Amino acid sequence: MALHRKRNPLIRQGWVRALLLFVVYVLASVIEGILVSVYPLAGNRTPAVETTAPEISLTPSMTLIAISFIVSVVSVYVFRKFIDRRSFISLGLHPGRFFPDGLLGFLTGLFLVSLGGLLVYFFNCLQWVDISFDGADFFASIFLLVLVAVSEELVF
């Protein structure tokens, strides 16, 4: 059985570690934005073979969101492993901790966002227009929103 020693962080002051992560993350995001705008990874591609399955059309913003997710996970992982000297899972990502508290938190957040949206709608401060449920694009959008939420929670 291996002894698990608690290692001290590389930098003792928490605010310095947080500031360093913030600076590195912002710089990585700026570089990523420049690269995506200079070298577009998604464009108008025509399929070589006609298919009947719905096609997901990647936009530059979708590509940017996906790359942002990767940047946030990698930067938090590197900082957690080498600066904080703790495991990535110790951020609260252990699967056993998702239930029941994680489920309750998810449902509470969903309820509050839905309640806020309904209140704004019923007071005529919001109008939904041009809603399109095109199957694959709809689910791709939901997936990208989940990536944004996970990235935000990890970094902040």
Side-chain angles (χ1 to χ4, degrees):
M1 174 182 245
L3 294 174
H4 295 285
R5 289 181 276 159
K6 185 175 179 180
R7 295 177 63 190
N8 291 330
L10 185 63
I11 301 170
R12 289 186 63 96
Q13 297 84 3
W15 69 271
V16 174
R17 292 194 316 260
L19 183 64
L20 186 60
L21 174 62
F22 176 74
V23 168
V24 168
Y25 179 73
V26 167
L27 286 175
S29 296
V30 168
I31 292 169
E32 158 206 345
I34 291 170
L35 290 176
V36 168
S37 66
V38 172
Y39 302 105
L41 300 175
N44 295 331
R45 297 183 188 136
T46 56
V49 178
E50 188 69 29
T51 61
T52 58
E55 184 181 323
I56 299 173
S57 56
L58 287 176
T59 64
S61 61
M62 290 175 149
T63 305
L64 189 63
I65 290 171
I67 294 173
S68 293
F69 174 75
I70 294 168
V71 166
S72 65
V73 169
V74 168
S75 59
V76 169
Y77 176 81
V78 167
F79 266 79
R80 192 67 176 166
K81 192 79 171 167
F82 299 108
I83 304 295
D84 290 341
R85 295 182 175 169
R86 301 246 174 123
S87 70
F88 188 68
I89 292 178
S90 69
L91 285 170
L93 301 174
H94 192 273
R97 294 188 173 192
F98 290 147
F99 299 102
D101 296 335
L103 181 62
L104 180 63
F106 173 77
L107 293 175
T108 302
L110 184 64
F111 171 75
L112 290 173
V113 168
S114 300
L115 179 66
L118 288 173
L119 285 173
V120 170
Y121 177 74
F122 285 125
F123 282 109
N124 291 325
C125 296
L126 174 71
Q127 182 181 7
W128 281 304
V129 294
D130 194 24
I131 297 175
S132 174
F133 295 103
D134 290 339
D137 283 339
F138 174 74
F139 289 111
S141 297
I142 296 296
F143 179 71
L144 289 172
L145 288 172
V146 168
L147 288 184
V148 168
V150 170
S151 297
E152 182 181 305
E153 290 298 321
L154 272 177
V155 172
F156 295 101

